[in-house]
Amino acid sequence: VSFVGLANLLPPLSFVRLRTGLLRLAGLRSGDRTAFGGRVRITGRGLRPASRISVGDNCWINDSCTFDASATITIGNGTAFGHEVALITSTHDVGSHFYRAGTSADLPIVIGDGAWIGARAMVLPGVTVGAGSIVAAGSVVNRDIAPDVLAAGVPAKVIRRLDGCGRDGP
Ligand SMILES: CC(C)(COP(=O)(O)OP(=O)(O)OC[C@H]1O[C@@H](n2cnc3c(N)ncnc32)[C@H](O)[C@@H]1OP(=O)(O)O)[C@@H](O)C(=O)NCCC(=O)NCCS
C-alpha cells in the first residue's frame, strides 16, 4: 500500500497530523500548520507524482480533493480548499477524428498566497490563481485569475474585486 493509500484509510477530519505526515512521506512538500482534512487523490505521470506538489504554511485542504500532478502544483501560504476541489495539470492537443485526445501536454498550476478555492471547483492546466482571490464553489477555472478578486462560474469570470494589501486593505 502506498503512503497516500495509507493516509486515505484514515477517517476524514481526524488524524490530521498523521495524514499530513504520510503525505509528506509520499513526497508532497507541505509547510508549518498545513493540514489535509480528509482523503486526497493524487494522480500523474511517474512513480511519485506527489513530489510535484508543494503546499505552503498555514493551509487547509478539505476532504476528497484531487491533485493531478503530471506537472508541478504550487500552492501558496494561507490557502484554503473546499471539498472535492480538483487541480488538473494534464491535457491533450486536439487530435484527429479517430482519437480527439491527441498529443499529451502537462502544464503547471499555481495557487497564490491566501487564496480560497470553493468546493468542487476545478482548476485546469496552466492556470495561476492570484494571491488573495476566491474561486466560488463549482467554478471551472480555464484562464489565470488576477489577485484579490472573486471569480465564479463556468468558465470562471471575475464577479468583483476584493480588498487587498497595497490597495484597500491593511
Ligand atoms: C463565492 C461565495 C463565497 C459567495 O461570496 P459573496 O461575496 O457572498 O457573493 P454573493 O453570494 O453576493 O454572490 C455574488 C455573485 O456571484 C454569484 N455566485 C456566488 N457563488 C457562485 C458560484 N458558486 N457559482 C456561480 N456564481 C456564483 C452570485 O449568484 C452573485 O451573482 P449576481 O450578482 O448575478 O446575483 C460562495 O457563493 C461560495 O462559493 N462559497 C464556497 C463554499 C465552499 O466551498 N465551502 C467549502 C468549505 S471551504
Side-chain angles (χ1 to χ4, degrees):
V1 182
S2 68
F3 289 118
V4 177
L6 278 176
N8 286 342
L9 294 175
L10 300 168
L13 300 175
S14 56
F15 300 102
V16 168
R17 281 187 178 203
L18 176 57
R19 179 182 299 104
T20 303
L22 287 166
L23 293 175
R24 283 179 178 154
L25 288 174
L28 184 150
R29 277 158 291 145
S30 64
D32 295 339
R33 300 176 309 285
T34 281
F36 287 77
R39 290 154 298 194
V40 56
R41 183 176 301 157
I42 298 176
T43 60
R45 288 175 224 296
L47 290 178
R48 275 164 68 87
S51 65
R52 293 193 204 93
I53 304 172
S54 78
V55 187
D57 298 332
N58 195 29
C59 299
W60 171 250
I61 311 292
N62 216 319
D63 189 30
S64 295
C65 289
T66 295
F67 298 88
D68 168 47
S70 290
T72 57
I73 293 175
T74 308
I75 298 170
N77 301 319
T79 55
F81 282 34
H83 316 70
E84 299 186 32
V85 167
L87 305 187
I88 307 293
T89 62
S90 60
T91 186
H92 301 271
D93 295 337
V94 176
S96 75
H97 166 78
F98 299 100
Y99 203 90
R100 288 293 184 207
T103 308
S104 295
D106 303 322
L107 298 168
I109 288 175
V110 177
I111 308 293
D113 293 345
W116 173 26
I117 313 296
R120 287 207 165 173
M122 181 178 294
V123 180
L124 295 182
V127 163
T128 293
V129 174
S133 284
I134 298 172
V135 172
S139 302
V140 174
V141 187
N142 65 337
R143 302 265 189 269
D144 288 356
I145 300 292
D148 295 319
V149 297
L150 167 60
V154 181
K157 303 276 188 211
V158 173
I159 300 286
R160 63 185 175 90
R161 300 182 72 84
L162 304 172
D163 66 322
C165 59
R167 204 168 56 241
D168 308 312

